[in-house]
């Protein structure tokens, strides 16, 4: 269940991420947007895990990006291999103060500064089974629509197509 701050009126921010993680996320989102990916943060998966970022490319390829802001953050996390069950490509995203050689070679890697990011390493492809792809895409679509409605309600006015 998502933990929401009682002082936060933005339904798109759940308050669990550090400021540094939010900077890494922002820069990575900017690059992915430029790559024409639809990006959703903090998407719960069927396994019960939650993807830091999940994207869908124009071709329907699904990527998951796990954000790591320190060596310790990476070392204590043992859940990241499970994300492979829900995506075609798995990446890590980090910042300049984390040594890049700690991240496994079998995953892609982004380096972010909060204003943009660079893809340091492409992730190998491991295509989802059709039934899994459909399930992930439905989850992605429903979550995106729900968040758009919540953002509209929080804003107090209808969003115009030009606002999206």
């Amino acid at each position: 269940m998502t933990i929401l701050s009682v002082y936060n009126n933005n339904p798109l921010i759940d308050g669990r991420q550090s400021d540094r993680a939010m900077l890494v996320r922002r820069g990575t989102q900017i690059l992915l947007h430029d790559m024409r990916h639809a990006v959703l943060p903090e998407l719960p998966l069927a396994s019960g895990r939650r993807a830091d970022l999940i994207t869908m490319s124009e071709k329907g390829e699904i990527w998951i990006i796990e954000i790591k802001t320190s060596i310790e953050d990476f070392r204590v996390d043992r859940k990241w291999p499970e994300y492979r069950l829900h995506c075609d490509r798995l990446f890590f995203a980090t910042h300049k103060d984390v040594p890049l050689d700690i991240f496994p070679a079998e995953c892609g890697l982004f380096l972010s500064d909060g204003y943009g990011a660079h893809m340091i390493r492409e992730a190998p492809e491991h295509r989802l089974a059709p039934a899994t792809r459909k399930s992930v895409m439905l989850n992605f679509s429903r979550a995106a629509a729900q968040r758009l409605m919540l953002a509209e309600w929080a804003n107090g006015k209808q969003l115009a197509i030009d606002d999206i």
Side-chain angles (χ1 to χ4, degrees):
M1 173 173 261
T2 302
I3 301 169
L4 295 174
S5 167
V6 295
Y7 301 106
N8 176 20
N9 67 351
N10 185 338
L12 304 179
I13 297 175
D14 69 15
R16 287 184 283 194
Q17 298 76 24
S18 69
D19 289 343
R20 180 147 303 189
M22 292 302 288
L23 280 175
V24 171
R25 180 171 115 178
R26 181 173 162 229
T28 305
Q29 285 175 303
I30 290 167
L31 174 63
L32 291 164
H33 176 75
D34 290 347
M35 295 171 69
R36 302 180 59 85
H37 280 244
V39 183
L40 275 180
E42 308 299 330
L43 183 70
L45 303 171
S47 64
R49 300 290 184 200
R50 182 180 39 82
D52 291 338
L53 289 174
I54 187 166
T55 79
M56 190 179 312
S57 75
E58 289 182 302
K59 296 179 182 178
E61 189 172 71
I62 298 166
W63 295 3
I64 289 180
I65 298 94
E66 177 69 1
I67 296 171
K68 294 297 168 203
T69 58
S70 69
I71 295 171
E72 187 64 19
D73 185 17
F74 177 75
R75 285 190 180 147
V76 300
D77 180 7
R78 296 289 165 231
K79 67 187 182 307
W80 66 264
E82 296 176 32
Y83 293 132
R84 286 188 190 278
L85 303 174
H86 306 279
C87 64
D88 296 309
R89 296 180 192 266
L90 178 61
F91 292 83
F92 284 96
T94 193
H95 59 89
K96 67 177 180 60
D97 296 331
V98 178
L100 301 181
D101 61 354
I102 67 170
F103 297 104
E106 65 268 15
C107 297
L109 184 60
F110 292 103
L111 184 62
S112 171
D113 65 3
Y115 299 99
H118 294 283
M119 184 186 294
I120 303 299
R121 182 174 57 233
E122 180 74 50
E125 182 182 55
H126 42 87
R127 300 287 295 170
L128 288 173
T132 304
R133 176 176 309 287
K134 180 179 178 181
S135 174
V136 172
M137 290 179 96
L138 285 171
N139 184 29
F140 185 101
S141 301
R142 291 178 54 79
Q146 183 74 16
R147 291 177 189 183
L148 181 60
M149 181 185 67
L150 291 173
E152 183 178 297
W153 288 356
N155 188 23
K157 61 180 182 175
Q158 286 189 329
L159 294 175
I161 291 295
D162 294 341
D163 295 338
I164 300 175

